[in-house]
Amino acid sequence: MSHRGATGADTRDGDGAGVMTAMPHQLLSREFHSLGCKLPPLGQYSTGNLFVQPGDQCMNQFDSIAEQLGLHVVAWRKVPVNSEILGPASHSKEPVVMQPLVVGDWQEERKFQRQLFILKKRAHHEIQGLYVCSLDTRVIVYKGQLTPEQVPEYYVDLRDDAFETHFALVHSRFSTNTFPSWERAQPFSWCAHNGMILLSFSCSPLRLMLRDRDFVINKKRFTNDFSTLDLYL
């Protein structure tokens, strides 16, 4: 499912590719058990792939924001990857891929989902050198500055027999008006789009429209967090 021409001069440098799947509960149960953690039942925890810089600073900041929101990061798992398949451009910007095991008040599902959304937004904008591919209770995203063929070769999890999913949303990016990067690869947190988005012509006006209409949004669900979220539009 490769996009035509979606590579650099070195064909090992992809413009970006990834896959969204259901949460691989069986595999994660085994992996977090090896870290001394018993994984809660599916739906009672959240995790996802995070791109971080080497060192513990990003993760410590993430833990702190989670605690402020009434969430708790039980453990961190380093995602196994095969860096040898990368081209020079993608390898030069390769992040460390980590998975946090986040728990909270899962009995109030909507509140749990809202707190995860706020955690993801705050982490994106407050922690330098961190990018959240996804943070959810039901789905997970594996992606990078890769070609589609490289995705399962790079992420060891995807070749594990314990990885089970009932769907897979695959995307191959062609870098038209922006340079390739690990973060710009798709799918995003919960979707992928087919077609070009002209950032300078579409996103800025949309942000202004959202700010102009924030008074009609139901702020009761986000209470004191709404003003913070407004800054991140």
Side-chain angles (χ1 to χ4, degrees), residues 4-33:
R4 64 186 185 279
T7 63
D10 189 316
T11 55
R12 295 174 297 169
D13 287 320
D15 277 5
V19 60
M20 173 187 288
T21 72
M23 193 68 73
H25 181 72
Q26 182 178 342
L27 179 141
L28 294 174
S29 295
R30 184 193 70 197
E31 294 300 314
F32 278 105
H33 183 268

Side-chain angles (χ1 to χ4, degrees), residues 69 114-122 222 225 229:
L69 295 170
R114 286 197 301 271
Q115 297 304 84
L116 291 171
F117 174 77
I118 297 168
L119 172 58
K120 181 181 67 176
K121 280 290 185 181
R122 288 189 56 184
F222 289 97
D225 297 305
L229 289 175

Side-chain angles (χ1 to χ4, degrees), residues 63-158:
D63 293 350
S64 177
I65 296 174
E67 293 292 339
Q68 294 171 28
L69 295 170
L71 303 171
H72 179 59
V73 181
V74 179
W76 286 88
R77 174 192 178 228
K78 186 175 182 180
V79 179
V81 298
N82 177 17
S83 302
E84 295 181 358
I85 67 169
L86 300 178
S90 55
H91 189 272
S92 67
K93 300 294 184 179
E94 182 186 15
V96 178
V97 187
M98 300 294 296
Q99 289 177 345
L101 175 57
V102 184
V103 297
D105 187 5
W106 57 269
Q107 292 180 321
E108 294 187 51
E109 182 181 0
R110 290 188 177 181
K111 179 182 177 182
F112 189 27
Q113 293 290 348
R114 286 197 301 271
Q115 297 304 84
L116 291 171
F117 174 77
I118 297 168
L119 172 58
K120 181 181 67 176
K121 280 290 185 181
R122 288 189 56 184
H124 270 313
H125 294 275
E126 296 180 21
I127 306 176
Q128 186 175 4
L130 179 144
Y131 177 84
V132 183
C133 297
S134 64
L135 188 64
D136 199 89
T137 59
R138 296 159 293 184
V139 299
I140 191 168
V141 171
Y142 288 81
K143 68 177 188 177
Q145 193 176 337
L146 309 164
T147 66
E149 295 83 3
Q150 286 177 325
V151 174
E153 294 298 318
Y154 181 75
Y155 286 108
V156 178
D157 286 357
L158 298 176

